[in-house]
Amino acid sequence: APHGTDTTPHGTDGASAGTDGLTGHAVGNLVLCGLMELLGDPVAALEHAGAMLGAVGRVLPMSRQPVGIEARVRGADPAAPDEVHTVSGQHQVAVTTGRVESLRLTPSAPPACAEAIEAIRAADWLIFGPGSWYTSVLPHLLVPQLADAIVSTSARRLVTLNLAAEKETLGLSVADHLAALHWYLPELKVDLVLADAKAVGDPEPVERAAESLGARLVLAPVAVVDGTPRHDPAALGAALVPVLGADR
C-alpha cells in the first residue's frame, strides 16, 4: 500500500538518479501523484483511485505529508565494498546492490494519517507483508504515532514472510527479516508468522525468531506451483482462512 514515501528517486548521498525524474516508478504511482496534486489530499486521491478500479477495501497512507526514505548502505558502490553511503529515495533503496545497515524516514517523525490510526485501532488483525521489507513493511514502524497504535491496539498481528530476498535484503536470512521487525520496533509483539515451507528451508531458526516476537510459525504451501518466488493468491487466501478464524 502507498505509505507516504517520496516519489522522486535520488542516488547515493542525495545525487540525482538520472536526468529523467520518472525513471523507475510504476505507472500506478505516477497516477496517484497526479491525483494527489489534483485533489490536494492523499486520502482523497487514494479513495478516488479505488473507486476508478472498483477496489474492495480502503488504502490509506502512513502520513498526509511527503515522507522520504534514507538508508545507510555498505558497499553501495561496488568499487568501494567496505564504504558506507547514504542512499535516498524509495526506488534507490529498493534497488541498491549494497547491504542496508540502517533505515530512517525524513522527516524522522512525520505526523501519522488519522484515518490510518483509526483503522489500526478498529482492526481485528494487522497483517505485515509480503512486500519489500525495507521500503514497504518497515517504514510503518518508523512513524511514531503509527508505531504506538500498532503496539497498543487490541488487534492480533500476523507477519507474512516473503518467498525470496529482493535486492534491498540480499544477505538477510528469513529469520533476519523477523529480527528486523524487533530492531525497528522492540515493543512489537506478533501472534503468528506465516511462511512457505520450501522458502523457509530449515524451520528451526525461523521458529526461534518468531518466538522472540511472541509468535507461532505456521508453514503452508502459498507459492505458485511453477517454482517462481510469487505468492499464489488462492493458496495464500486458503492458508489465511483458518489462521484468521482461530480463537485467541
Side-chain angles (χ1 to χ4, degrees):
H3 47 63
T5 54
D6 68 358
T7 55
T8 303
H10 298 284
T12 305
D13 292 327
S16 172
T19 56
D20 184 355
L22 304 182
T23 300
H25 291 286
V27 171
N29 287 347
L30 301 177
V31 170
L32 282 175
C33 285
L35 287 171
M36 285 184 221
E37 290 185 2
L38 180 66
L39 300 174
D41 176 53
V43 174
L46 287 162
E47 289 180 344
H48 187 82
M52 290 170 58
L53 297 171
V56 177
R58 192 180 189 194
V59 178
L60 294 166
M62 296 194 311
S63 175
R64 275 187 158 87
Q65 76 172 53
V67 181
I69 290 178
E70 285 187 355
R72 296 288 288 169
V73 180
R74 184 176 299 278
D77 180 359
D82 294 326
E83 292 185 9
V84 177
H85 296 275
T86 297
V87 175
S88 301
Q90 179 181 355
H91 175 65
Q92 288 302 105
V93 174
V95 301
T96 184
T97 55
R99 181 183 179 90
V100 175
E101 296 198 340
S102 64
L103 185 76
R104 75 184 192 98
L105 300 182
T106 56
S108 60
C113 173
E115 291 88 344
I117 292 176
E118 291 173 4
I120 290 170
R121 289 174 176 165
D124 296 313
W125 282 90
L126 303 182
I127 300 177
F128 301 85
S132 301
W133 221 243
Y134 284 117
T135 53
S136 291
V137 177
L138 293 178
H140 299 83
L141 309 183
L142 302 181
V143 178
Q145 293 170 317
L146 275 188
D148 289 344
I150 288 169
V151 169
S152 63
T153 182
S154 61
R156 301 172 75 184
R157 303 165 190 84
L158 180 145
V159 175
T160 305
L161 289 173
N162 291 339
L163 298 174
E166 297 179 302
K167 285 186 178 180
E168 65 181 44
T169 51
L170 287 177
L172 287 189
S173 68
V174 177
D176 289 337
H177 282 68
L178 294 175
L181 296 172
H182 176 75
W183 175 262
Y184 287 99
L185 185 56
E187 301 86 1
L188 177 66
K189 294 298 180 184
V190 176
D191 294 276
L192 296 169
V193 173
L194 177 63
D196 185 87
K198 289 183 179 179
V200 162
D202 180 7
E204 185 176 345
V206 184
E207 286 179 340
R208 290 199 304 267
E211 289 171 358
S212 71
L213 293 170
R216 175 171 62 90
L217 176 64
V218 176
L219 298 177
V222 294
V224 294
V225 296
D226 64 6
T228 58
R230 295 180 294 118
H231 283 88
D232 179 275
L236 182 57
L240 285 172
V241 167
V243 169
L244 300 185
D247 294 332
R248 285 184 180 271

